[in-house]
Amino acid sequence: QQKVQQSPESLIVPEGGMASLNCTSSDRNVDYFWWYRQHSGKSPKMLMSIFSNGEKEEGRFTVHLNKASLHTSLHIRDSQPSDSALYLCAASRQGGRALIFGTGTTVSVSP
Amino acid sequence: NSKVIQTPRYLVKGQGQKAKMRCIPEKGHPVVFWYQQNKNNEFKFLINFQNQEVLQQIDMTEKRFSAECPSNSPCSLEIQSSEAGDSALYLCASSLSQANTEVFFGKGTRLTVV
C-alpha cells in the first residue's frame, strides 16, 4: 500500500507557466516532507523540504504544507524547459528509518 | 555532481546469476540507504545502515539480497539469484542521520536481468 500519493501523474506546462503538484501521506506519523527532482538519466536531488504548516518559497519554487491533512504541494512559477523532470515527494518521521517516496509527477515544459 | 559514487553504472545478468553493485557514500555520512526504482518510477526501500550496522530491511532484501557496509570499504548490495523482476535502477543514498535529514543520491546502477 502506497503511503505517499502524488498527483497528477504527468503534467504539461507551457514555458513561463505555473506547474502545481500535489502530494498526500496516509501515514499520520509523518512530520517532514521532501520534494526531489530527478532529470532523465540522473539521480534525484532535493529541491525543498518543509515540516511547518504554511508556505516556503525559494526562487521560483513554493511549497505548501497542511499538517492536518498531511498534504503538501509544490508550485513552480515561470516554468523553464530545464524544469522538465520527474518530481518526487517523500515523507519521513522521527523514529522512522527511511524516506518513503511517492511515484512522482512527470513535468514537461513545452517551449 | 553527486558525491555518492555507485559502480557499475550498468549491469546485465542472466536469471539465476548473482548481481553485485557497490556504493561509496558521501564522506562523513554514516547512514546509507538502498532503494530500487522500477520502470514505473516506484521507489522501494530495500535496506539501510548506520556505519556497519543494518538499521532496517524489507523481507525481500532479507531473503534474496545480501548487503553490507564494511568499514573502510564500499558498501555493497548483491542479489543472490537474479530474477526478471529485479530489473531496475538501484539507487544508493547517504545522509548525516537516520531520519528527517536530506539524503544524497548516487547516479544508480541499472540492472537488466535477461
Side-chain angles (χ1 to χ4, degrees), chain B residues 59-75:
Chain B
D59 280 351
M60 178 180 83
T61 310
E62 204 166 340
K63 291 173 185 170
R64 298 182 47 241
F65 290 59
S66 169
E68 60 177 1
C69 269
S71 62
N72 301 317
S73 291
C75 297

Side-chain angles (χ1 to χ4, degrees), chain B residues 32-34 45-49 54 56-58 61 67 77:
Chain B
V32 173
F33 304 83
W34 285 98
F45 165 77
L46 296 175
I47 189 169
N48 61 348
F49 293 82
V54 174
Q56 189 182 23
Q57 61 183 323
I58 62 171
T61 310
L77 178 71

Side-chain angles (χ1 to χ4, degrees), chain B residues 14-77:
Chain B
Q15 293 193 50
Q17 288 187 316
K18 288 188 179 184
K20 188 168 187 174
M21 54 205 86
R22 293 177 175 80
C23 171
I24 301 175
E26 186 166 332
K27 193 173 181 181
H29 285 188
V31 183
V32 173
F33 304 83
W34 285 98
Y35 285 90
Q36 179 197 64
Q37 185 180 24
N38 67 19
K39 61 180 180 180
N40 296 320
N41 292 325
E42 292 164 340
F43 265 72
K44 183 186 288 183
F45 165 77
L46 296 175
I47 189 169
N48 61 348
F49 293 82
Q50 178 147 352
N51 297 313
Q52 294 83 53
E53 187 180 330
V54 174
L55 295 174
Q56 189 182 23
Q57 61 183 323
I58 62 171
D59 280 351
M60 178 180 83
T61 310
E62 204 166 340
K63 291 173 185 170
R64 298 182 47 241
F65 290 59
S66 169
E68 60 177 1
C69 269
S71 62
N72 301 317
S73 291
C75 297
S76 64
L77 178 71

Side-chain angles (χ1 to χ4, degrees), chain A residues 6 57 64 71-72 80 89:
Chain A
Q6 289 188 248
E57 182 177 332
H64 293 267
H71 177 262
T72 179
Q80 303 297 307
C89 175

Side-chain angles (χ1 to χ4, degrees), chain A residues 1-7 22-26 89 101-103:
Chain A
Q1 182 183 355
Q2 185 61 260
K3 290 187 174 179
V4 176
Q5 299 282 352
Q6 289 188 248
S7 65
N22 297 293
C23 172
T24 304
S25 171
S26 58
C89 175
F101 283 87
T103 51

